[in-house]
Amino acid sequence: MKKISLILICLLILLYPSYVSGEEPCNKNEQMIIEKLSPYGLEETVQKIVDNAKAEKWVISGVKDLAKSIEKNGGEKLLPVKLIELCNVDYSGKMLKEDASRYASVMMPCTISVYEKSDGKVYVSFVNTKLMGQMFPGTVGEVMGGPVGEAQSRFLIFLDDK
């Protein structure tokens, strides 16, 4: 329990300063949650991520329409927000087979968000798994900071064109 509390405190420390001050960090790749402008429309962006992830042997467990779900359940009408849930069975299996790293199941499946803002542009946000991997010991850190982060970079590479 102490390890999880320590991890949560580290996350807050990493996230808190840039959100409170409104300042951009010196290096966007050092943010825990990265937001990038997409060169495509919403549906095209979703499809590009799905196709690229599948090419990397990731399984897409679902694409959820968060805005529609909120509205359907009594919330207000929002601009589009799609959540792409994806998993790589080799990487998740490696973490889940060990009792010491099963706690990481709370982060599975990985989720990438694609949404439109009031400026009419489409954005993608995702967890910086390479940075997150540095915060975890053992298998979780090795998997998140290594192959998961590397694969994520490859299937989101099209966002670097913008």
Side-chain angles (χ1 to χ4, degrees):
M1 192 61 155
K2 288 181 182 179
K3 283 183 183 180
I4 293 173
S5 296
L6 181 60
I7 290 167
L8 290 174
I9 290 169
C10 289
L11 279 171
L12 287 173
I13 290 169
L14 286 171
L15 293 172
Y16 188 72
S18 63
Y19 285 107
V20 171
S21 68
E23 297 175 12
E24 292 289 323
C26 296
N27 181 349
K28 278 195 147 195
N29 291 328
E30 292 177 5
Q31 285 183 287
M32 185 54 67
I33 298 174
I34 298 172
E35 177 184 72
K36 292 190 176 187
L37 178 64
S38 175
Y40 303 105
L42 188 95
E43 294 302 328
E44 275 183 292
T45 300
V46 169
Q47 195 59 53
K48 186 92 168 156
I49 293 168
V50 166
D51 292 345
N52 289 353
K54 284 181 178 179
E56 290 283 332
K57 308 269 190 274
W58 285 65
V59 174
I60 308 304
S61 53
V63 176
K64 307 279 172 56
D65 190 326
L66 185 57
K68 277 188 182 175
S69 178
I70 288 171
E71 186 178 358
K72 177 182 168 188
N73 289 289
E76 64 183 271
K77 185 172 179 68
L78 301 171
L79 290 171
V81 180
K82 302 268 182 135
L83 304 177
I84 305 166
E85 297 176 336
L86 52 150
C87 184
N88 182 295
V89 296
D90 293 331
Y91 306 145
S92 59
K94 187 173 183 177
M95 289 190 289
L96 295 176
K97 76 178 182 181
E98 299 175 3
D99 285 345
S101 58
R102 290 179 67 88
Y103 66 90
S105 62
V106 72
M107 298 182 291
M108 296 176 191
C110 294
T111 303
I112 297 174
S113 182
V114 180
Y115 48 91
E116 186 179 313
K117 288 187 178 181
S118 57
D119 63 6
K121 296 178 182 175
V122 173
Y123 296 83
V124 176
S125 66
F126 52 95
V127 172
N128 183 340
T129 54
K130 288 182 181 180
L131 182 60
M132 183 180 283
Q134 295 173 16
M135 297 172 31
F136 292 95
T139 302
V140 175
E142 291 167 20
V143 172
M144 296 296 288
V148 170
E150 291 162 10
Q152 181 185 63
S153 293
R154 287 190 300 272
F155 58 75
L156 297 173
I157 191 78
F158 72 95
L159 297 171
D160 293 334
D161 296 340
K162 256 321 204 187

